[in-house]
């Protein structure tokens, strides 16, 4: 064997995924999966438009235009960039408000990397929207399974599974669209394994790095697929090997590498993907619902509250409850999304939790901040994490009463899913913050007709901001 002709293999978990992805026909994907996929895309694109109203979107655009422009459209923005840079920016826009979908047991934002990678790869390849939609579904399936293999451990050791798992999903989505065979798709996974990373250190100071993670994963997937197409090789045991993903990122912990290929084609993980009803970290959703329910059922006013006790599993607790001083008084809207005390207090104070509760007047509201100081956090021995994001809120009132409510399965979970109609209503609210009805109609029509013979480039143009 010549050193110039390295072998490529379809062995191991990566090979099983590659074999499935290479053989899959778009017609093999159940109609209900494709329909739900369109609504997940609708949610993501609406969020991308809404993100353009926030400073982080302009900062990301300015950073990426440093490397020059291009012809590829950007979601919700008039700019054009190279396909890889557009994928980075699109990932930032979909995920930047932390309002995007999450595969609950994988603890992974699946659309935020899979969709940008699929749009860029499909446009470059001259593919149809049928091809784009099938590749996006594949990207979601792989991202979710890689997250599942971590068995809820990535957050516990400080890795963001969206960044880690999302890179693999993006590589498969991009590789499928660029025409890789099974050996090439296996190689692309092996290559992208060396790019799969994303740290949670942003939780210490509210910095913006998490917003970049899915866009970087999308770009990494596109890059890995291109290298594989050119003949580059990657390790066959990238998941289960001695120095593979799980052994390095989750050393000494119980993992399930077999989950990466388990149930492909029979269990569609996309159908278990949760759409967020609140623009906050998913770990806080059960607490927002519980607080609002208690407020309404018992007529609670902030002045009535003596103490608030919240029970949460210790792994998500690390994300939304520590360090306590930061969580009691978030420094900005992004910091507030990851603060359980702030979310519960704002919900009790205002009777809702919307994007308005992340604006400056809410962040500096003395009533909300005083309530946040009354929040005590305890470990939850009855929670279902990572299978669901449970939460219990107990409120001690000034008159001596103690009222409590547990949300064992968070709303949006596949056991309590938002309907397609509810997702469409959310889309109207997000895109409506920055675009008129004509633009919203154009984008909605383009998304909900995904899966036909139209060029993917037309879809990308329809979702571009003007």
């Amino acid at each position: 064997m010549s050193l110039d002709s390295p072998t490529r293999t379809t062995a191991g978990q990566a090979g099983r995924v590659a074999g499935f992805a290479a053989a899959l026909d778009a017609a093999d994907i159940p109609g209900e999966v494709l329909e739900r996929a369109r609504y997940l895309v609708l949610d993501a694109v609406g969020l991308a438009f809404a993100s353009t109203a926030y400073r982080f979107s302009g900062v990301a655009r300015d950073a990426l235009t440093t490397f020059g422009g291009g012809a590829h459209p950007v979601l919700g923005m008039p700019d054009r960039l190279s396909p890889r840079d557009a994928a980075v920016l699109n990932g930032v826009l979909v995920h930047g408000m932390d309002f995007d979908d999450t595969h609950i047991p994988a603890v992974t934002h699946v659309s935020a990397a899979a969709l940008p990678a699929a749009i860029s790869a499909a446009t470059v390849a001259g593919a149809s929207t049928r091809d784009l939609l099938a590749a996006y579904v594949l990207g979601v399936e792989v991202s979710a399974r890689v997250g599942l293999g971590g068995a809820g451990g990535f957050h516990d050791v400080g890795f963001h599974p969206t960044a880690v798992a999302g890179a693999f999903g993006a590589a498969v989505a991009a590789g499928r669209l660029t025409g890789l065979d099974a050996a090439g798709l296996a190689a692309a996974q092996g290559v992208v394994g060396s790019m799969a990373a994303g740290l949670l250190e942003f939780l210490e100071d509210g910095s913006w790095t998490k917003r970049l993670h899915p866009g970087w994963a999308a770009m990494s997937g596109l890059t890995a697929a291109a290298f594989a197409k050119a003949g580059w090789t990657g390790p066959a045991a990238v998941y289960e090997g001695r120095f593979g993903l799980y052994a390095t990122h989750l050393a000494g912990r119980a993992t399930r590498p077999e989950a990466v290929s388990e149930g492909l084609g029979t269990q569609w993980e996309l159908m278990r993907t949760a759409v967020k009803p609140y623009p906050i970290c998913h770990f806080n959703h059960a607490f927002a619902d519980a607080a609002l329910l208690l407020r309404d059922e018992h007529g609670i006013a902030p002045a009535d509250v003596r103490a608030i006790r919240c029970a949460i599993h210790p792994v998500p607790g690390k994300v939304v409850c520590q360090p306590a001083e930061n969580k009691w008084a978030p420094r900005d809207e992004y910091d507030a999304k990851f603060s359980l005390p702030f979310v519960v207090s704002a919900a009790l104070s205002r009777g809702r939790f919307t994007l308005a509760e992340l604006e400056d007047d809410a962040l500096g509201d003395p009533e909300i901040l005083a309530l946040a100081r009354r929040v005590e956090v305890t470990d939850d021995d009855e929670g279902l994490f990572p299978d669901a994001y449970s939460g219990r809120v107990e409120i001690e009132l000034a008159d001596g009463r103690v009222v409590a409510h547990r949300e064992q399965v968070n709303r949006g979970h596949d056991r309590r899913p938002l309907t397609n109609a509810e997702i469409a209503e959310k889309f109207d609210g997000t895109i409506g913050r920055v675009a008129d009805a004509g633009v919203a109609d154009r984008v909605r029509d383009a998304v909900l007709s995904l899966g036909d013979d139209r060029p993917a480039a037309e879809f990308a143009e329809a979702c571009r901001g003007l």
Side-chain angles (χ1 to χ4, degrees), residues 17 20 24 29 33 103 110 114 134-148 169 172 259-273:
V17 170
F20 173 77
L24 181 70
I29 303 173
V33 175
H103 187 281
V110 286
Y136 161 72
V137 170
L138 270 174
V140 169
E141 293 297 312
V142 174
S143 298
R145 284 173 166 80
V146 175
L148 285 170
V172 173
V260 174
S261 62
E262 204 168 64
L264 282 167
T266 56
Q267 170 65 46
W268 294 92
E269 295 297 333
L270 182 143
M271 299 300 289
R272 301 174 70 193
T273 299

Side-chain angles (χ1 to χ4, degrees), residues 329-414:
R331 287 152 291 195
D332 57 25
E333 54 89 21
Y334 200 59
D335 213 11
K337 291 173 182 285
F338 297 90
S339 168
L340 185 154
F342 179 84
V343 167
V344 169
S345 302
L348 285 173
S349 175
R350 298 198 169 187
R352 64 184 189 186
F353 203 102
T354 68
L355 287 167
E357 278 61 61
L358 294 166
E359 294 176 357
D360 287 346
D361 69 313
L363 296 176
D365 187 325
E367 182 174 83
I368 294 174
L369 296 176
L371 269 180
R373 288 278 175 181
R374 296 175 208 165
V375 174
E376 305 167 16
V377 177
T378 61
D379 288 347
D380 185 4
D381 297 329
E382 300 176 32
L384 300 178
F385 181 85
D387 294 328
Y389 305 154
S390 311
R392 182 179 187 274
V393 176
E394 179 182 282
I395 302 175
E396 181 181 342
L397 301 170
D399 62 10
R401 286 181 298 150
V402 176
V403 297
H405 180 74
R406 169 179 286 277
E407 288 280 306
Q408 189 72 339
V409 176
N410 54 292
R411 192 158 52 97
H413 190 282
D414 62 286

Side-chain angles (χ1 to χ4, degrees), residues 97-326:
M97 297 196 302
D98 220 275
F99 205 178
D100 52 316
D101 63 35
T102 309
H103 187 281
I104 297 292
V107 205
T108 301
H109 296 273
V110 286
S111 291
L115 181 62
I119 292 173
S120 287
T123 302
V124 170
S128 69
T129 72
R130 179 182 294 105
D131 299 324
L132 189 163
L133 187 61
Y136 161 72
V137 170
L138 270 174
V140 169
E141 293 297 312
V142 174
S143 298
R145 284 173 166 80
V146 175
L148 285 170
F154 285 115
H155 274 91
D156 202 27
V157 298
F159 283 113
H160 185 202
T162 298
V164 176
F168 291 97
V172 173
R176 158 101 179 186
L177 286 161
T178 54
L180 291 180
D181 61 11
L185 287 165
Q189 293 169 80
V191 172
V192 88
S194 289
M195 307 174 189
L199 305 180
L200 293 178
E201 183 61 19
F202 79 95
L203 291 166
E204 296 301 308
D205 58 13
S207 53
W208 289 359
T209 48
K210 181 175 181 285
R211 285 175 159 143
L212 180 57
H213 289 171
W216 197 258
M219 184 202 72
S220 296
L222 290 162
T223 304
F227 268 73
K229 189 172 181 64
W232 209 262
T233 59
V238 65
Y239 299 110
E240 71 273 24
R242 181 165 63 105
F243 296 121
L245 173 70
Y246 298 115
T248 55
H249 287 58
L250 295 170
R253 292 174 175 267
T255 59
R256 296 185 60 246
E258 66 275 13
V260 174
S261 62
E262 204 168 64
L264 282 167
T266 56
Q267 170 65 46
W268 294 92
E269 295 297 333
L270 182 143
M271 299 300 289
R272 301 174 70 193
T273 299
V275 174
K276 284 186 172 184
Y278 296 116
I280 52 179
C281 176
H282 231 133
F283 296 156
N284 283 329
H285 283 219
F287 297 92
D289 272 338
L292 290 170
L293 184 146
L294 290 172
R295 182 184 190 274
D296 291 345
E297 278 194 355
H298 302 282
I300 297 172
D304 301 332
V305 177
R306 180 179 293 162
I308 305 167
R309 288 179 282 274
C310 297
I312 186 171
H313 186 283
V315 172
K318 287 182 179 180
V319 176
V320 296
C321 302
Q322 299 173 13
E325 284 294 332
N326 293 358

